[in-house]
Amino acid sequence: MPSCERFKVAVLDCLRASDCVAKNGKSVNECLNLKNKDVDQECRLAQRAFFECQLAMLNPRRRMRGPYGGVSGSTNPENSSDPASASKSE
């Protein structure tokens, strides 16, 4: 099962480098609050990506079907409805 660890690390690194922690001396937990305006948009986007990753891991449909909805990435020319690809396989 995929992990959201890389998103978590991205959020923490971004917050540590932000003005909220570096200049204002607040803790990372205080800066995570959505009411705090000292955090850059980049950090908010990273926070949103982390949240969506966690939400996707809890979604039972995604857990069963995978990230692509059960559709495989490869195409089989024998099962294709395209007449040009069917004639090539004969």
Side-chain angles (χ1 to χ4, degrees):
M1 178 166 257
S3 173
C4 298
E5 189 66 27
R6 62 187 171 120
F7 294 112
K8 181 180 177 180
V9 170
V11 171
L12 291 175
D13 288 344
C14 186
L15 284 174
R16 287 184 188 123
S18 71
D19 290 345
C20 184
V21 174
K23 291 184 180 176
N24 298 344
K26 295 182 182 179
S27 71
V28 174
N29 285 337
E30 291 172 338
C31 294
L32 277 174
N33 189 352
L34 293 177
K35 294 177 184 175
N36 196 334
K37 303 296 182 193
D38 295 334
V39 179
D40 299 333
Q41 184 68 20
E42 179 183 340
C43 295
R44 292 295 180 205
L45 291 174
Q47 184 180 7
R48 175 72 183 216
F50 177 59
F51 171 74
E52 288 182 5
C53 178
Q54 287 181 322
L55 191 64
M57 288 182 64
L58 295 175
N59 185 353
R61 174 175 276 169
R62 182 177 169 101
R63 283 188 0 221
M64 295 299 286
R65 299 180 74 185
Y68 302 109
V71 178
S72 66
S74 63
T75 58
N76 189 352
E78 295 177 23
N79 296 335
S80 177
S81 62
D82 184 21
S85 64
S87 64
K88 291 179 184 177
S89 62
E90 294 176 358

